[in-house]
């Protein structure tokens, strides 16, 4: 069965600095998708960024980028120029076929 | 479009009671899923469906039933509620894209369930 592991339950970063959230996963599939979701206190789930496994180029969305290492099954999220609004729970997720599996999450604190 | 809607938003049950959490989407999405979110556990997949009439178990299916008689609706049934089922429940849907399961998953606002 596929698993997603986020080894950092909590992290803190100074405003305007850069932070990297880690994620590893386990699968025997070759075709799949990876995501990072953000969940603010409102509980709403917000898609931050996605990566197709067949693409070697790392995905980028404004201040958010990923480091996708397929052989190592690693998918980290880098947030540049951290802002107070980035404070939230961040979930790494793996998708193949019909289902999406989530990691346990990393709570990110932004220090002013 | 209303997106993904869930009812109720809050619910308190006594042990042994049954109830159904409702989920509906108006985006004609083929895929729908139910998750539960507990502190420190992230979102865990309960059941999912890839189309009307087709459902499958996720990571934590015990104690829950689902059915998918229409594309729009995907209710989650608790037959005999237990305190361990106290959680926040999210329904989600997404569209299948011709052979590539890449589309964004849309989430409902969640239902907070407490079982006493």
């Amino acid at each position: 069965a596929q698993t997603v592991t986020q080894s950092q339950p909590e992290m803190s970063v100074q405003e305007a600095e850069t932070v990297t959230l880690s994620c590893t996963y386990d699968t025997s599939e070759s075709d799949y998708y990876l995501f990072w979701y953000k969940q603010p206190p409102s509980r709403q789930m917000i898609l931050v960024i996605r990566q197709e496994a067949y693409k070697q180029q790392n995905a980028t969305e404004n201040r958010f980028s990923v480091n996708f290492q397929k052989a190592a099954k690693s998918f980290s999220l880098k947030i540049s120029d951290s802002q107070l609004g980035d404070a939230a729970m961040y979930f790494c997720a793996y998708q193949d076929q019909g289902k999406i599996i989530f990691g346990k999450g990393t709570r990110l604190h932004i220090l002013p | 479009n209303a997106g993904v809607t869930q009812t109720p938003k809050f619910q308190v049950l006594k042990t042994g009671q049954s109830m159904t959490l409702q989920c509906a989407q108006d985006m004609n999405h083929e895929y729908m899923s139910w998750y539960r979110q507990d502190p420190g556990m992230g979102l865990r997949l309960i059941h999912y469906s890839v189309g009307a009439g087709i459902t499958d178990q996720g990571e934590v299916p015990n104690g829950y039933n689902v059915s998918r008689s229409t594309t729009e609706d995907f209710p989650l049934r608790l037959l005999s509620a237990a305190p361990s089922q106290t959680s926040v429940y999210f329904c989600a849907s997404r569209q299948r894209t011709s052979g590539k399961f890449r589309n964004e998953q849309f989430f409902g606002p969640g239902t907070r369930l407490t079982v006493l």
Side-chain angles (χ1 to χ4, degrees):
Chain A
Q2 295 85 0
T3 59
V4 177
T5 302
Q6 292 179 251
S7 59
Q8 305 149 315
E10 287 196 61
M11 294 192 72
S12 296
V13 63
Q14 208 75 35
E15 193 176 3
E17 296 294 311
T18 296
V19 64
T20 299
L21 308 184
S22 301
C23 173
T24 59
Y25 59 94
D26 188 27
T27 184
S28 57
E29 301 291 332
S30 60
D31 191 14
Y32 51 87
Y33 295 82
L34 298 165
F35 304 85
W36 278 98
Y37 280 87
K38 170 184 177 181
Q39 187 183 43
S42 66
R43 278 197 335 223
Q44 180 185 5
M45 294 292 287
I46 303 167
L47 178 64
V48 174
I49 198 166
R50 85 180 110 212
Q51 174 81 41
E52 291 93 338
Y54 65 88
K55 288 186 177 178
Q56 291 188 331
Q57 186 174 5
N58 290 326
T60 300
E61 291 285 344
N62 301 314
R63 297 183 295 107
F64 299 88
S65 61
V66 299
N67 183 4
F68 173 49
Q69 302 289 330
K70 190 172 184 179
K73 296 179 182 174
S74 170
F75 183 60
S76 61
L77 174 69
K78 185 172 81 172
I79 306 174
S80 304
D81 185 25
S82 297
Q83 301 175 359
L84 294 177
D86 295 334
M89 282 290 290
Y90 286 82
F91 293 99
C92 179
Y94 163 96
Q95 174 189 321
D96 75 15
Q97 304 300 320
K99 62 183 186 293
I100 299 179
I101 303 296
F102 288 82
K104 293 184 178 181
T106 296
R107 183 172 298 282
L108 180 64
H109 302 277
I110 309 296
L111 307 174
Chain B
N1 287 349
V4 181
T5 58
Q6 290 183 238
T7 55
K9 286 189 168 49
F10 301 93
Q11 183 70 49
V12 179
L13 292 177
K14 294 181 179 178
T15 297
Q17 286 185 314
S18 63
M19 80 159 295
T20 299
L21 306 185
Q22 301 292 343
C23 175
Q25 52 91 8
D26 61 357
M27 298 172 282
N28 202 31
H29 286 173
E30 293 91 341
Y31 293 164
M32 297 186 74
S33 302
W34 275 103
Y35 295 88
R36 59 176 290 173
Q37 183 176 21
D38 303 292
M41 298 299 292
L43 278 79
R44 291 183 291 172
L45 182 64
I46 304 172
H47 287 284
Y48 66 102
S49 169
V50 299
I54 306 170
T55 63
D56 205 349
Q57 296 181 349
E59 302 166 274
V60 288
N62 292 342
Y64 307 95
N65 280 353
V66 292
S67 60
R68 184 95 179 272
S69 56
T70 67
T71 298
E72 295 77 19
D73 300 299
F74 191 44
L76 178 72
R77 281 181 283 276
L78 286 71
L79 298 180
S80 179
S84 61
Q85 294 178 304
T86 294
S87 187
V88 177
Y89 291 84
F90 287 96
C91 180
S93 75
R94 64 187 174 89
Q95 185 178 24
R96 176 177 179 171
T97 300
S98 58
K100 291 295 185 183
F101 310 106
R102 58 185 294 178
N103 277 27
E104 178 179 353
Q105 179 149 263
F106 292 82
F107 285 83
T111 295
R112 183 176 292 278
L113 175 67
T114 301
V115 183
L116 303 175

